[in-house]
Amino acid sequence: MITISDLLTAFQDRLLADTVLTAAFVTETGTEPTVIIGEDARNMPGPDDAPCIAITPGMSRGGQESGEYVYSVSVDWLISDDSVTEGFRSKTYTGLLKSDRLGEEIWRSLCDVSPHIALSDRTFAVAALEQFPLVIGMMDITINVPQLIGAEISL
């Protein structure tokens, strides 16, 4: 059986090993991200910690009579970007666009975490202006793993 701890560690290892993801962060933010398991609500990451990716546990569900194990994991990312592009009657906070692209790169990377499991679903959001110039991306991921009689699925 796969544990949430197994998933958190596999996600962290995958994100740290992904050179395409690292290059995307360097291109968009100028530096490599720190990949964190867990969060401290009393000491949340700030501008000095950006860019970073935080992986936090959600829940797991399953049992002897269920046909699958269901897990949820949250992945949040933080960048600091105060750049604004202005044109004729337009204004774009470019950090929002960068964060969206980085979130898609994180998703692409995590989809390759293991050949034995599939990331079943995601909910994706970017919150840009509440803590400007910090741009926070959030992704809740659901993983469904079939329960096979007499077989053990591992990462």
Side-chain angles (χ1 to χ4, degrees):
M1 181 176 87
I2 297 170
T3 66
I4 288 183
S5 295
D6 294 334
L7 288 169
L8 298 176
T9 303
F11 278 23
Q12 184 183 46
D13 291 346
R14 174 67 190 139
L15 294 172
L16 288 169
D18 189 332
T19 57
V20 173
L21 176 66
T22 299
F25 267 88
V26 170
T27 298
E28 299 288 9
T29 69
T31 188
E32 298 178 359
T34 302
V35 183
I36 306 162
I37 293 178
E39 290 179 331
D40 178 356
R42 296 167 300 180
N43 187 25
M44 296 302 284
D48 294 339
D49 303 302
C52 64
I53 303 169
I55 308 161
T56 55
M59 63 87 191
S60 68
R61 186 181 75 234
Q64 291 182 323
E65 294 187 12
S66 66
E68 65 184 359
Y69 292 101
V70 180
Y71 305 88
S72 69
V73 173
S74 294
V75 178
D76 302 327
W77 58 100
L78 172 74
I79 67 170
S80 182
D81 189 318
D82 62 359
S83 59
V84 178
T85 303
E86 294 191 50
F88 179 69
R89 294 183 15 214
S90 69
K91 181 185 259 188
T92 302
Y93 292 89
T94 55
L96 172 75
L97 305 178
K98 291 177 182 181
S99 183
D100 180 60
R101 288 190 293 265
L102 291 169
E104 293 297 341
E105 282 296 321
I106 292 167
W107 172 251
R108 178 205 50 78
S109 181
L110 292 176
C111 283
D112 292 333
V113 72
S114 170
H116 305 291
I117 65 167
L119 306 186
S120 307
D121 188 43
R122 72 173 183 172
T123 304
F124 183 102
V126 176
L129 299 178
E130 294 174 9
Q131 298 181 33
F132 186 80
L134 297 179
V135 183
I136 303 165
M138 300 153 282
M139 188 180 328
D140 293 322
I141 300 172
T142 303
I143 303 106
N144 295 345
V145 179
Q147 189 179 94
L148 304 173
I149 297 173
E152 185 81 17
I153 295 178
S154 64
L155 296 170

